[in-house]
Amino acid sequence: PEWLSFIPLVWGDYWIIDLDPQYQWVVVSEPKREYLWILSRTPQLPAATYQALQSKLSGLGFDLRRLELSPP
């Protein structure tokens, strides 16, 4: 809502790049492709899922060198 506009970092032009049909993970970025997040409902994504997402994101022109895995 607009009344929250006084809080910094509330607004952003974030795009959902990919979404699991079961809502177990989502890939989020923004138009300039400066930021990229792979968010999961579980502490770890299956390796095959993560590799498939990396392949797809690479094909879309994202720089995957900046991705950092967080500890489970």
Side-chain angles (χ1 to χ4, degrees), residues 10-71:
V10 169
W11 306 108
D13 192 10
Y14 301 114
W15 293 7
I16 294 176
I17 304 301
D18 203 355
L19 177 64
D20 177 56
Q22 308 303 314
Y23 298 101
Q24 295 305 302
W25 53 261
V26 64
V27 179
V28 180
S29 186
E30 43 74 52
K32 293 182 183 178
R33 298 178 184 204
E34 292 179 14
Y35 301 100
L36 178 65
W37 296 274
I38 299 174
L39 307 171
S40 173
R41 289 188 181 268
T42 59
Q44 288 184 306
L45 281 174
T49 302
Y50 186 67
Q51 289 171 352
L53 288 172
Q54 284 184 313
S55 214
K56 182 173 187 174
L57 294 168
S58 179
L60 292 173
F62 284 95
D63 180 7
L64 303 181
R65 295 174 294 173
R66 297 180 57 194
L67 280 178
E68 296 179 24
L69 293 175
S70 61

